[in-house]
Amino acid sequence: MNTDGMNTASMPRPRLLPYPSPVARPFWDATRRHELVMQWCDTCRYHVFYPRATCPRCGRTELSWRSVSGSGRIYTYTVARRATHRAFAERVPYVVAIVELDEGPHLTTEIVGTDPNTVKIGARVIVEFEDHADISVPVFRPLITERVE
Amino acid sequence: MRSSLRGAAALVGLAETAPVRDTGDHTDLSLAAEVATAAVNDAGLDLTEVDGLLTHPMGVVSRLVPSTVAEALGLRLSYADSVDLGGATAVGMVWRAAAAVLSGMCSICLCVTAVPRPADATALGGPSRRTTDRSPAREFEVPYGNVGATEGYAMIAQRYEHEFGCTAGQRAKIAVQQRENAARHPHAFFRGKPLTAEEVLGSEMIADPLRKLEMVLPTGGASAVVVTRRQIAARLTQSPVLVLGAGEAITHKSITYAPQLTTSAIRASADRAFEMAGIGREQVNVASVYDCYTITALMTLEDAGFCAKGEGAAFVDEHDLRWSGDFPVNTNGGQLSFGQADVVGGMSHVTESVLQLQARAPGRQVEGAEIAFVNGNGGIMSEQSSVILAVGG
């Protein structure tokens, strides 16, 4: 059992899984390999997320894909104590958070592997990948070694 | 440059149903018909004189809602549109109607919001529209259980507490004082059900830090207003309420990508509205601000410029927000205590402001109310539409 109390050999608890959009294919191919990648705009010199057709700052279509570390901090979070959709009823209470990656971009995710009541803004987290049958979803786990002010 | 919109149009009639948990056999169209007819009659007009129509996406049909509603009501239109700004829809309709009548594309513009609620409605059902959601939010937010609005507002409240130190008690005061206002409105859902801060703070935690009594109860209902040119307004039944200023701002849909979490686009929409109106914040007599959650109302008062950034909680501490107080806010109880029938909730801020300025708010009348600030907020502090209304001459 991992700290979640889950048998790691079994399927994860259900989610409303993503329908990968064509432009985001490389993102979901990478998560299947347990890697995190994001689009990069060479003109603006920043990561574009979520994946899309054009850079939201300059509009150019020539965006490349780069690996990101998967390391970041919790920018904000909440503990959902009542399911907003029956697909998540088993997960309650669960932590929804916006993580700020070290490289800068924000993404929404779930914080796993910790008591929801101990989550703090500013806590360091690292990505891990939840493998479902056809898609792997990135989630984030707090680094227990770091003390948060 | 002085906008030609300033004072060009007026709200001249209104109607709203009492928010209820079960609208029974009502459909979008039957609710729309009821309030449309009543609003037009309130103005001293009849439906044959309506030549402009604003609706919103409705469940009745996936597309072509304006013509569907027009046909049901027997309208002959020279202008129609659907406004799709979430909670900001109704306020957004007001200035769009004003612009339409100013332009001459129509003379009498009806703004209708209508959302039925069947008895078996549940929050767990998921999307109710007949569309297939393949948006970025579906792909990158929904998989984490970030469905609906509560988690997003909770994350905003959490970050606001972290940056500015607002307490649950300060947020609770908004809910408590608005409940006192609701006691004075005949149709408020929570009329006759007083609320204490202890009850708010003891209510079930839904998504940290927001508790059940800090968020709206979903209801069903409808509401409509009629807008016309100032010159026509002068000849009608009710005292005209002028649209003095309007502003709108959108920077994001999901807060994941918001430029800032603790300063919203309300700052821009309110600045634009006050600039068009040519008045200062101190001239506002009554505020009606979208309050899907306590934190929404608190941040709106701050971002709208009634206090400095980060001072919203202190502002709530220092002011009496009741209809009889020194800074009346949401004198009908706000959506928190009046009820929220989906986008109709946004219209309740418009109708209550008009009633105050027309001196038609008995039992909760703000003495000498001449200027109202109204804010419509959509999504997760996303779409923002602000208007400033004034007693017309």
PDB file of all heavy atoms in Angstrom, chain A residues 15-17 21 24 28 75-76 78-83 88 94 108 138, chain B residues 124 134 136 138-139 142-145 151 154-155 159 204 206-208 256:
ATOM      1  N   ARG A  15     -12.012   8.832 -12.446  1.00  0.00           N
ATOM      2  CA  ARG A  15     -12.099  10.272 -12.704  1.00  0.00           C
ATOM      3  C   ARG A  15     -12.947  10.465 -13.946  1.00  0.00           C
ATOM      4  O   ARG A  15     -13.199   9.512 -14.680  1.00  0.00           O
ATOM      5  CB  ARG A  15     -10.713  10.859 -13.055  1.00  0.00           C
ATOM      6  CG  ARG A  15      -9.687  10.830 -11.975  1.00  0.00           C
ATOM      7  CD  ARG A  15      -8.417  11.554 -12.448  1.00  0.00           C
ATOM      8  NE  ARG A  15      -7.409  11.549 -11.411  1.00  0.00           N
ATOM      9  CZ  ARG A  15      -7.395  12.381 -10.374  1.00  0.00           C
ATOM     10  NH1 ARG A  15      -8.352  13.296 -10.260  1.00  0.00           N
ATOM     11  NH2 ARG A  15      -6.452  12.304  -9.454  1.00  0.00           N
ATOM     12  N   LEU A  16     -13.340  11.708 -14.198  1.00  0.00           N
ATOM     13  CA  LEU A  16     -13.821  12.073 -15.528  1.00  0.00           C
ATOM     14  C   LEU A  16     -12.546  12.292 -16.332  1.00  0.00           C
ATOM     15  O   LEU A  16     -11.866  13.301 -16.187  1.00  0.00           O
ATOM     16  CB  LEU A  16     -14.646  13.351 -15.474  1.00  0.00           C
ATOM     17  CG  LEU A  16     -16.027  13.237 -14.853  1.00  0.00           C
ATOM     18  CD1 LEU A  16     -16.712  14.595 -14.827  1.00  0.00           C
ATOM     19  CD2 LEU A  16     -16.897  12.239 -15.608  1.00  0.00           C
ATOM     20  N   LEU A  17     -12.184  11.310 -17.147  1.00  0.00           N
ATOM     21  CA  LEU A  17     -10.880  11.374 -17.804  1.00  0.00           C
ATOM     22  C   LEU A  17     -10.879  12.369 -18.950  1.00  0.00           C
ATOM     23  O   LEU A  17     -11.925  12.655 -19.535  1.00  0.00           O
ATOM     24  CB  LEU A  17     -10.507   9.971 -18.295  1.00  0.00           C
ATOM     25  CG  LEU A  17     -10.242   8.978 -17.158  1.00  0.00           C
ATOM     26  CD1 LEU A  17     -10.059   7.572 -17.710  1.00  0.00           C
ATOM     27  CD2 LEU A  17      -9.021   9.397 -16.343  1.00  0.00           C
ATOM     28  N   SER A  21      -7.222  16.559 -26.891  1.00  0.00           N
ATOM     29  CA  SER A  21      -7.440  17.331 -28.109  1.00  0.00           C
ATOM     30  C   SER A  21      -6.254  17.090 -29.044  1.00  0.00           C
ATOM     31  O   SER A  21      -5.158  16.773 -28.588  1.00  0.00           O
ATOM     32  CB  SER A  21      -7.556  18.816 -27.772  1.00  0.00           C
ATOM     33  OG  SER A  21      -6.435  19.242 -27.027  1.00  0.00           O
ATOM     34  N   ALA A  24      -3.036  18.775 -28.220  1.00  0.00           N
ATOM     35  CA  ALA A  24      -2.422  18.366 -26.950  1.00  0.00           C
ATOM     36  C   ALA A  24      -1.891  16.945 -26.980  1.00  0.00           C
ATOM     37  O   ALA A  24      -1.426  16.427 -25.960  1.00  0.00           O
ATOM     38  CB  ALA A  24      -3.429  18.515 -25.814  1.00  0.00           C
ATOM     39  N   TRP A  28      -0.210  14.386 -23.802  1.00  0.00           N
ATOM     40  CA  TRP A  28      -0.728  13.124 -23.274  1.00  0.00           C
ATOM     41  C   TRP A  28       0.139  11.935 -23.659  1.00  0.00           C
ATOM     42  O   TRP A  28       0.239  10.951 -22.906  1.00  0.00           O
ATOM     43  CB  TRP A  28      -2.184  12.922 -23.717  1.00  0.00           C
ATOM     44  CG  TRP A  28      -3.076  13.989 -23.183  1.00  0.00           C
ATOM     45  CD1 TRP A  28      -3.723  14.961 -23.890  1.00  0.00           C
ATOM     46  CD2 TRP A  28      -3.394  14.235 -21.803  1.00  0.00           C
ATOM     47  NE1 TRP A  28      -4.433  15.795 -23.055  1.00  0.00           N
ATOM     48  CE2 TRP A  28      -4.244  15.365 -21.765  1.00  0.00           C
ATOM     49  CE3 TRP A  28      -3.048  13.615 -20.602  1.00  0.00           C
ATOM     50  CZ2 TRP A  28      -4.767  15.898 -20.569  1.00  0.00           C
ATOM     51  CZ3 TRP A  28      -3.563  14.131 -19.405  1.00  0.00           C
ATOM     52  CH2 TRP A  28      -4.404  15.256 -19.399  1.00  0.00           C
ATOM     53  N   TYR A  75       0.290  26.976  -5.328  1.00  0.00           N
ATOM     54  CA  TYR A  75      -0.058  28.409  -5.409  1.00  0.00           C
ATOM     55  C   TYR A  75      -1.348  28.680  -4.642  1.00  0.00           C
ATOM     56  O   TYR A  75      -1.494  29.680  -3.954  1.00  0.00           O
ATOM     57  CB  TYR A  75      -0.194  28.808  -6.878  1.00  0.00           C
ATOM     58  CG  TYR A  75      -0.462  30.266  -7.082  1.00  0.00           C
ATOM     59  CD1 TYR A  75       0.555  31.208  -6.882  1.00  0.00           C
ATOM     60  CD2 TYR A  75      -1.727  30.707  -7.454  1.00  0.00           C
ATOM     61  CE1 TYR A  75       0.296  32.561  -7.062  1.00  0.00           C
ATOM     62  CE2 TYR A  75      -1.981  32.056  -7.627  1.00  0.00           C
ATOM     63  CZ  TYR A  75      -0.963  32.973  -7.438  1.00  0.00           C
ATOM     64  OH  TYR A  75      -1.224  34.316  -7.595  1.00  0.00           O
ATOM     65  N   THR A  76      -2.297  27.798  -4.793  1.00  0.00           N
ATOM     66  CA  THR A  76      -3.498  27.819  -3.969  1.00  0.00           C
ATOM     67  C   THR A  76      -4.145  26.452  -4.035  1.00  0.00           C
ATOM     68  O   THR A  76      -3.760  25.626  -4.865  1.00  0.00           O
ATOM     69  CB  THR A  76      -4.494  28.918  -4.388  1.00  0.00           C
ATOM     70  OG1 THR A  76      -5.545  29.015  -3.405  1.00  0.00           O
ATOM     71  CG2 THR A  76      -5.120  28.632  -5.750  1.00  0.00           C
ATOM     72  N   THR A  78      -7.833  23.930  -2.474  1.00  0.00           N
ATOM     73  CA  THR A  78      -8.979  23.767  -1.607  1.00  0.00           C
ATOM     74  C   THR A  78      -9.149  22.287  -1.319  1.00  0.00           C
ATOM     75  O   THR A  78      -8.627  21.453  -2.058  1.00  0.00           O
ATOM     76  CB  THR A  78     -10.261  24.348  -2.226  1.00  0.00           C
ATOM     77  OG1 THR A  78     -11.329  24.273  -1.267  1.00  0.00           O
ATOM     78  CG2 THR A  78     -10.682  23.560  -3.468  1.00  0.00           C
ATOM     79  N   VAL A  79      -9.857  21.975  -0.252  1.00  0.00           N
ATOM     80  CA  VAL A  79     -10.201  20.596   0.038  1.00  0.00           C
ATOM     81  C   VAL A  79     -11.676  20.428  -0.291  1.00  0.00           C
ATOM     82  O   VAL A  79     -12.536  21.021   0.365  1.00  0.00           O
ATOM     83  CB  VAL A  79      -9.954  20.243   1.523  1.00  0.00           C
ATOM     84  CG1 VAL A  79     -10.286  18.769   1.764  1.00  0.00           C
ATOM     85  CG2 VAL A  79      -8.516  20.535   1.924  1.00  0.00           C
ATOM     86  N   ALA A  80     -11.959  19.691  -1.340  1.00  0.00           N
ATOM     87  CA  ALA A  80     -13.347  19.450  -1.733  1.00  0.00           C
ATOM     88  C   ALA A  80     -13.918  18.388  -0.812  1.00  0.00           C
ATOM     89  O   ALA A  80     -13.454  17.247  -0.813  1.00  0.00           O
ATOM     90  CB  ALA A  80     -13.405  18.986  -3.186  1.00  0.00           C
ATOM     91  N   ARG A  81     -14.912  18.773  -0.016  1.00  0.00           N
ATOM     92  CA  ARG A  81     -15.482  17.845   0.964  1.00  0.00           C
ATOM     93  C   ARG A  81     -16.834  17.324   0.535  1.00  0.00           C
ATOM     94  O   ARG A  81     -17.427  16.472   1.195  1.00  0.00           O
ATOM     95  CB  ARG A  81     -15.557  18.528   2.333  1.00  0.00           C
ATOM     96  CG  ARG A  81     -14.168  18.950   2.818  1.00  0.00           C
ATOM     97  CD  ARG A  81     -14.159  19.480   4.231  1.00  0.00           C
ATOM     98  NE  ARG A  81     -12.835  19.993   4.571  1.00  0.00           N
ATOM     99  CZ  ARG A  81     -11.851  19.238   5.068  1.00  0.00           C
ATOM    100  NH1 ARG A  81     -12.048  17.956   5.279  1.00  0.00           N
ATOM    101  NH2 ARG A  81     -10.671  19.774   5.344  1.00  0.00           N
ATOM    102  N   ARG A  82     -17.350  17.862  -0.561  1.00  0.00           N
ATOM    103  CA  ARG A  82     -18.603  17.363  -1.120  1.00  0.00           C
ATOM    104  C   ARG A  82     -18.392  17.226  -2.621  1.00  0.00           C
ATOM    105  O   ARG A  82     -17.972  18.176  -3.275  1.00  0.00           O
ATOM    106  CB  ARG A  82     -19.720  18.352  -0.811  1.00  0.00           C
ATOM    107  CG  ARG A  82     -21.112  17.783  -1.053  1.00  0.00           C
ATOM    108  CD  ARG A  82     -22.133  18.875  -1.092  1.00  0.00           C
ATOM    109  NE  ARG A  82     -22.734  19.110   0.220  1.00  0.00           N
ATOM    110  CZ  ARG A  82     -23.862  19.796   0.405  1.00  0.00           C
ATOM    111  NH1 ARG A  82     -24.481  20.311  -0.628  1.00  0.00           N
ATOM    112  NH2 ARG A  82     -24.344  19.983   1.602  1.00  0.00           N
ATOM    113  N   ALA A  83     -18.680  16.061  -3.169  1.00  0.00           N
ATOM    114  CA  ALA A  83     -18.417  15.822  -4.585  1.00  0.00           C
ATOM    115  C   ALA A  83     -19.295  16.704  -5.450  1.00  0.00           C
ATOM    116  O   ALA A  83     -20.489  16.838  -5.205  1.00  0.00           O
ATOM    117  CB  ALA A  83     -18.662  14.359  -4.923  1.00  0.00           C
ATOM    118  N   PHE A  88     -16.631  11.676  -8.803  1.00  0.00           N
ATOM    119  CA  PHE A  88     -15.608  11.957  -7.790  1.00  0.00           C
ATOM    120  C   PHE A  88     -16.088  11.645  -6.380  1.00  0.00           C
ATOM    121  O   PHE A  88     -15.407  11.941  -5.405  1.00  0.00           O
ATOM    122  CB  PHE A  88     -15.154  13.421  -7.891  1.00  0.00           C
ATOM    123  CG  PHE A  88     -14.506  13.729  -9.209  1.00  0.00           C
ATOM    124  CD1 PHE A  88     -15.243  14.277 -10.241  1.00  0.00           C
ATOM    125  CD2 PHE A  88     -13.173  13.427  -9.425  1.00  0.00           C
ATOM    126  CE1 PHE A  88     -14.658  14.538 -11.479  1.00  0.00           C
ATOM    127  CE2 PHE A  88     -12.578  13.686 -10.651  1.00  0.00           C
ATOM    128  CZ  PHE A  88     -13.320  14.237 -11.684  1.00  0.00           C
ATOM    129  N   TYR A  94     -10.959  15.481  -1.281  1.00  0.00           N
ATOM    130  CA  TYR A  94      -9.778  15.507  -2.149  1.00  0.00           C
ATOM    131  C   TYR A  94      -9.307  16.938  -2.323  1.00  0.00           C
ATOM    132  O   TYR A  94     -10.065  17.871  -2.099  1.00  0.00           O
ATOM    133  CB  TYR A  94     -10.073  14.850  -3.507  1.00  0.00           C
ATOM    134  CG  TYR A  94     -11.180  15.475  -4.329  1.00  0.00           C
ATOM    135  CD1 TYR A  94     -10.913  16.497  -5.236  1.00  0.00           C
ATOM    136  CD2 TYR A  94     -12.485  15.000  -4.224  1.00  0.00           C
ATOM    137  CE1 TYR A  94     -11.928  17.055  -6.000  1.00  0.00           C
ATOM    138  CE2 TYR A  94     -13.513  15.555  -4.982  1.00  0.00           C
ATOM    139  CZ  TYR A  94     -13.228  16.583  -5.868  1.00  0.00           C
ATOM    140  OH  TYR A  94     -14.237  17.133  -6.618  1.00  0.00           O
ATOM    141  N   THR A 108      -3.806  23.305 -13.026  1.00  0.00           N
ATOM    142  CA  THR A 108      -4.703  22.766 -12.005  1.00  0.00           C
ATOM    143  C   THR A 108      -4.449  21.283 -11.902  1.00  0.00           C
ATOM    144  O   THR A 108      -4.191  20.608 -12.903  1.00  0.00           O
ATOM    145  CB  THR A 108      -6.166  23.060 -12.355  1.00  0.00           C
ATOM    146  OG1 THR A 108      -6.454  24.408 -11.988  1.00  0.00           O
ATOM    147  CG2 THR A 108      -7.128  22.162 -11.596  1.00  0.00           C
ATOM    148  N   PRO A 138      -1.459  13.572 -14.837  1.00  0.00           N
ATOM    149  CA  PRO A 138      -0.471  14.086 -13.876  1.00  0.00           C
ATOM    150  C   PRO A 138      -1.143  14.585 -12.603  1.00  0.00           C
ATOM    151  O   PRO A 138      -2.149  15.299 -12.663  1.00  0.00           O
ATOM    152  CB  PRO A 138       0.200  15.253 -14.615  1.00  0.00           C
ATOM    153  CG  PRO A 138      -0.758  15.651 -15.681  1.00  0.00           C
ATOM    154  CD  PRO A 138      -1.613  14.468 -15.991  1.00  0.00           C
TER     155      PRO A 138
ATOM    156  N   LEU B 124     -25.249  16.803  -8.721  1.00  0.00           N
ATOM    157  CA  LEU B 124     -24.288  15.778  -9.126  1.00  0.00           C
ATOM    158  C   LEU B 124     -24.455  15.338 -10.572  1.00  0.00           C
ATOM    159  O   LEU B 124     -23.760  14.474 -11.046  1.00  0.00           O
ATOM    160  CB  LEU B 124     -24.418  14.540  -8.219  1.00  0.00           C
ATOM    161  CG  LEU B 124     -23.977  14.729  -6.773  1.00  0.00           C
ATOM    162  CD1 LEU B 124     -24.108  13.420  -6.010  1.00  0.00           C
ATOM    163  CD2 LEU B 124     -22.544  15.209  -6.710  1.00  0.00           C
ATOM    164  N   ARG B 134     -15.882  19.808 -25.053  1.00  0.00           N
ATOM    165  CA  ARG B 134     -14.515  19.411 -25.382  1.00  0.00           C
ATOM    166  C   ARG B 134     -13.610  20.631 -25.234  1.00  0.00           C
ATOM    167  O   ARG B 134     -12.671  20.813 -25.979  1.00  0.00           O
ATOM    168  CB  ARG B 134     -14.447  18.863 -26.823  1.00  0.00           C
ATOM    169  CG  ARG B 134     -15.188  17.562 -27.009  1.00  0.00           C
ATOM    170  CD  ARG B 134     -14.533  16.410 -26.274  1.00  0.00           C
ATOM    171  NE  ARG B 134     -15.262  15.168 -26.465  1.00  0.00           N
ATOM    172  CZ  ARG B 134     -16.190  14.707 -25.630  1.00  0.00           C
ATOM    173  NH1 ARG B 134     -16.505  15.391 -24.559  1.00  0.00           N
ATOM    174  NH2 ARG B 134     -16.808  13.545 -25.884  1.00  0.00           N
ATOM    175  N   PRO B 136     -10.942  23.298 -23.234  1.00  0.00           N
ATOM    176  CA  PRO B 136      -9.735  23.112 -22.426  1.00  0.00           C
ATOM    177  C   PRO B 136     -10.054  22.811 -20.967  1.00  0.00           C
ATOM    178  O   PRO B 136      -9.340  22.054 -20.317  1.00  0.00           O
ATOM    179  CB  PRO B 136      -9.004  24.457 -22.586  1.00  0.00           C
ATOM    180  CG  PRO B 136      -9.455  24.966 -23.910  1.00  0.00           C
ATOM    181  CD  PRO B 136     -10.873  24.528 -24.035  1.00  0.00           C
ATOM    182  N   ARG B 138     -12.581  21.091 -19.856  1.00  0.00           N
ATOM    183  CA  ARG B 138     -12.949  19.673 -19.767  1.00  0.00           C
ATOM    184  C   ARG B 138     -11.705  18.801 -19.780  1.00  0.00           C
ATOM    185  O   ARG B 138     -11.631  17.782 -19.096  1.00  0.00           O
ATOM    186  CB  ARG B 138     -13.895  19.305 -20.912  1.00  0.00           C
ATOM    187  CG  ARG B 138     -14.261  17.815 -20.990  1.00  0.00           C
ATOM    188  CD  ARG B 138     -14.992  17.341 -19.749  1.00  0.00           C
ATOM    189  NE  ARG B 138     -15.228  15.905 -19.763  1.00  0.00           N
ATOM    190  CZ  ARG B 138     -14.355  14.990 -19.348  1.00  0.00           C
ATOM    191  NH1 ARG B 138     -13.154  15.357 -18.893  1.00  0.00           N
ATOM    192  NH2 ARG B 138     -14.667  13.699 -19.392  1.00  0.00           N
ATOM    193  N   GLU B 139     -10.696  19.214 -20.581  1.00  0.00           N
ATOM    194  CA  GLU B 139      -9.491  18.407 -20.743  1.00  0.00           C
ATOM    195  C   GLU B 139      -8.524  18.553 -19.575  1.00  0.00           C
ATOM    196  O   GLU B 139      -7.882  17.589 -19.159  1.00  0.00           O
ATOM    197  CB  GLU B 139      -8.783  18.796 -22.050  1.00  0.00           C
ATOM    198  CG  GLU B 139      -7.637  17.874 -22.453  1.00  0.00           C
ATOM    199  CD  GLU B 139      -7.096  18.171 -23.847  1.00  0.00           C
ATOM    200  OE1 GLU B 139      -7.617  19.093 -24.517  1.00  0.00           O
ATOM    201  OE2 GLU B 139      -6.135  17.490 -24.259  1.00  0.00           O
ATOM    202  N   VAL B 142     -11.521  19.568 -15.334  1.00  0.00           N
ATOM    203  CA  VAL B 142     -12.562  18.635 -14.885  1.00  0.00           C
ATOM    204  C   VAL B 142     -11.997  17.299 -14.395  1.00  0.00           C
ATOM    205  O   VAL B 142     -12.505  16.739 -13.412  1.00  0.00           O
ATOM    206  CB  VAL B 142     -13.619  18.441 -16.003  1.00  0.00           C
ATOM    207  CG1 VAL B 142     -14.507  17.245 -15.747  1.00  0.00           C
ATOM    208  CG2 VAL B 142     -14.436  19.721 -16.175  1.00  0.00           C
ATOM    209  N   PRO B 143     -10.930  16.759 -15.022  1.00  0.00           N
ATOM    210  CA  PRO B 143     -10.396  15.484 -14.530  1.00  0.00           C
ATOM    211  C   PRO B 143      -9.965  15.513 -13.061  1.00  0.00           C
ATOM    212  O   PRO B 143      -9.803  14.463 -12.453  1.00  0.00           O
ATOM    213  CB  PRO B 143      -9.197  15.220 -15.448  1.00  0.00           C
ATOM    214  CG  PRO B 143      -9.553  15.903 -16.717  1.00  0.00           C
ATOM    215  CD  PRO B 143     -10.272  17.157 -16.284  1.00  0.00           C
ATOM    216  N   TYR B 144      -9.779  16.707 -12.502  1.00  0.00           N
ATOM    217  CA  TYR B 144      -9.347  16.809 -11.107  1.00  0.00           C
ATOM    218  C   TYR B 144     -10.511  17.097 -10.172  1.00  0.00           C
ATOM    219  O   TYR B 144     -10.313  17.482  -9.020  1.00  0.00           O
ATOM    220  CB  TYR B 144      -8.261  17.882 -10.986  1.00  0.00           C
ATOM    221  CG  TYR B 144      -7.080  17.526 -11.845  1.00  0.00           C
ATOM    222  CD1 TYR B 144      -6.829  18.187 -13.042  1.00  0.00           C
ATOM    223  CD2 TYR B 144      -6.244  16.457 -11.480  1.00  0.00           C
ATOM    224  CE1 TYR B 144      -5.762  17.811 -13.847  1.00  0.00           C
ATOM    225  CE2 TYR B 144      -5.177  16.089 -12.280  1.00  0.00           C
ATOM    226  CZ  TYR B 144      -4.940  16.768 -13.467  1.00  0.00           C
ATOM    227  OH  TYR B 144      -3.881  16.395 -14.262  1.00  0.00           O
ATOM    228  N   GLY B 145     -11.727  16.913 -10.665  1.00  0.00           N
ATOM    229  CA  GLY B 145     -12.888  17.165  -9.835  1.00  0.00           C
ATOM    230  C   GLY B 145     -13.191  18.640  -9.706  1.00  0.00           C
ATOM    231  O   GLY B 145     -13.964  19.041  -8.844  1.00  0.00           O
ATOM    232  N   GLU B 151     -15.096  24.927  -6.136  1.00  0.00           N
ATOM    233  CA  GLU B 151     -13.649  24.730  -5.903  1.00  0.00           C
ATOM    234  C   GLU B 151     -12.850  25.954  -6.336  1.00  0.00           C
ATOM    235  O   GLU B 151     -11.877  26.337  -5.687  1.00  0.00           O
ATOM    236  CB  GLU B 151     -13.148  23.480  -6.638  1.00  0.00           C
ATOM    237  CG  GLU B 151     -13.323  22.183  -5.861  1.00  0.00           C
ATOM    238  CD  GLU B 151     -14.751  21.698  -5.848  1.00  0.00           C
ATOM    239  OE1 GLU B 151     -15.500  22.061  -6.772  1.00  0.00           O
ATOM    240  OE2 GLU B 151     -15.125  20.955  -4.918  1.00  0.00           O
ATOM    241  N   ALA B 154     -13.304  28.710  -3.857  1.00  0.00           N
ATOM    242  CA  ALA B 154     -12.596  28.328  -2.631  1.00  0.00           C
ATOM    243  C   ALA B 154     -11.105  28.578  -2.780  1.00  0.00           C
ATOM    244  O   ALA B 154     -10.447  29.065  -1.850  1.00  0.00           O
ATOM    245  CB  ALA B 154     -12.874  26.869  -2.304  1.00  0.00           C
ATOM    246  N   MET B 155     -10.562  28.264  -3.946  1.00  0.00           N
ATOM    247  CA  MET B 155      -9.130  28.500  -4.166  1.00  0.00           C
ATOM    248  C   MET B 155      -8.817  29.991  -4.160  1.00  0.00           C
ATOM    249  O   MET B 155      -7.770  30.417  -3.672  1.00  0.00           O
ATOM    250  CB  MET B 155      -8.674  27.839  -5.475  1.00  0.00           C
ATOM    251  CG  MET B 155      -8.581  26.314  -5.357  1.00  0.00           C
ATOM    252  SD  MET B 155      -7.605  25.535  -6.657  1.00  0.00           S
ATOM    253  CE  MET B 155      -8.813  25.475  -7.987  1.00  0.00           C
ATOM    254  N   ARG B 159      -6.379  31.813  -1.334  1.00  0.00           N
ATOM    255  CA  ARG B 159      -5.253  32.674  -1.710  1.00  0.00           C
ATOM    256  C   ARG B 159      -5.452  34.072  -1.143  1.00  0.00           C
ATOM    257  O   ARG B 159      -4.486  34.701  -0.696  1.00  0.00           O
ATOM    258  CB  ARG B 159      -5.133  32.731  -3.246  1.00  0.00           C
ATOM    259  CG  ARG B 159      -3.948  33.529  -3.748  1.00  0.00           C
ATOM    260  CD  ARG B 159      -2.642  32.776  -3.632  1.00  0.00           C
ATOM    261  NE  ARG B 159      -1.499  33.685  -3.698  1.00  0.00           N
ATOM    262  CZ  ARG B 159      -0.231  33.295  -3.678  1.00  0.00           C
ATOM    263  NH1 ARG B 159       0.075  32.004  -3.598  1.00  0.00           N
ATOM    264  NH2 ARG B 159       0.729  34.188  -3.726  1.00  0.00           N
ATOM    265  N   GLU B 204     -21.753  23.318   7.322  1.00  0.00           N
ATOM    266  CA  GLU B 204     -20.864  22.314   6.732  1.00  0.00           C
ATOM    267  C   GLU B 204     -19.808  22.948   5.832  1.00  0.00           C
ATOM    268  O   GLU B 204     -20.113  23.784   4.997  1.00  0.00           O
ATOM    269  CB  GLU B 204     -21.726  21.346   5.907  1.00  0.00           C
ATOM    270  CG  GLU B 204     -20.978  20.222   5.222  1.00  0.00           C
ATOM    271  CD  GLU B 204     -21.857  19.460   4.226  1.00  0.00           C
ATOM    272  OE1 GLU B 204     -23.100  19.629   4.264  1.00  0.00           O
ATOM    273  OE2 GLU B 204     -21.298  18.726   3.398  1.00  0.00           O
ATOM    274  N   ILE B 206     -17.764  22.986   2.724  1.00  0.00           N
ATOM    275  CA  ILE B 206     -17.989  22.385   1.412  1.00  0.00           C
ATOM    276  C   ILE B 206     -16.661  22.235   0.669  1.00  0.00           C
ATOM    277  O   ILE B 206     -16.354  21.183   0.119  1.00  0.00           O
ATOM    278  CB  ILE B 206     -18.981  23.225   0.585  1.00  0.00           C
ATOM    279  CG1 ILE B 206     -20.310  23.387   1.332  1.00  0.00           C
ATOM    280  CG2 ILE B 206     -19.184  22.611  -0.794  1.00  0.00           C
ATOM    281  CD1 ILE B 206     -21.073  22.099   1.562  1.00  0.00           C
ATOM    282  N   ALA B 207     -15.904  23.324   0.594  1.00  0.00           N
ATOM    283  CA  ALA B 207     -14.561  23.297   0.009  1.00  0.00           C
ATOM    284  C   ALA B 207     -13.777  24.368   0.738  1.00  0.00           C
ATOM    285  O   ALA B 207     -14.111  25.536   0.639  1.00  0.00           O
ATOM    286  CB  ALA B 207     -14.611  23.564  -1.493  1.00  0.00           C
ATOM    287  N   ASP B 208     -12.780  23.953   1.483  1.00  0.00           N
ATOM    288  CA  ASP B 208     -12.048  24.885   2.363  1.00  0.00           C
ATOM    289  C   ASP B 208     -11.640  26.139   1.597  1.00  0.00           C
ATOM    290  O   ASP B 208     -11.010  26.039   0.538  1.00  0.00           O
ATOM    291  CB  ASP B 208     -10.783  24.204   2.891  1.00  0.00           C
ATOM    292  CG  ASP B 208     -11.080  22.959   3.706  1.00  0.00           C
ATOM    293  OD1 ASP B 208     -12.109  22.307   3.455  1.00  0.00           O
ATOM    294  OD2 ASP B 208     -10.269  22.637   4.580  1.00  0.00           O
ATOM    295  N   THR B 256      -6.912  29.176 -13.356  1.00  0.00           N
ATOM    296  CA  THR B 256      -5.563  28.655 -13.556  1.00  0.00           C
ATOM    297  C   THR B 256      -4.745  29.641 -14.387  1.00  0.00           C
ATOM    298  O   THR B 256      -3.537  29.767 -14.208  1.00  0.00           O
ATOM    299  CB  THR B 256      -5.607  27.299 -14.285  1.00  0.00           C
ATOM    300  OG1 THR B 256      -6.586  26.471 -13.671  1.00  0.00           O
ATOM    301  CG2 THR B 256      -4.254  26.604 -14.255  1.00  0.00           C
TER     302      THR B 256
END
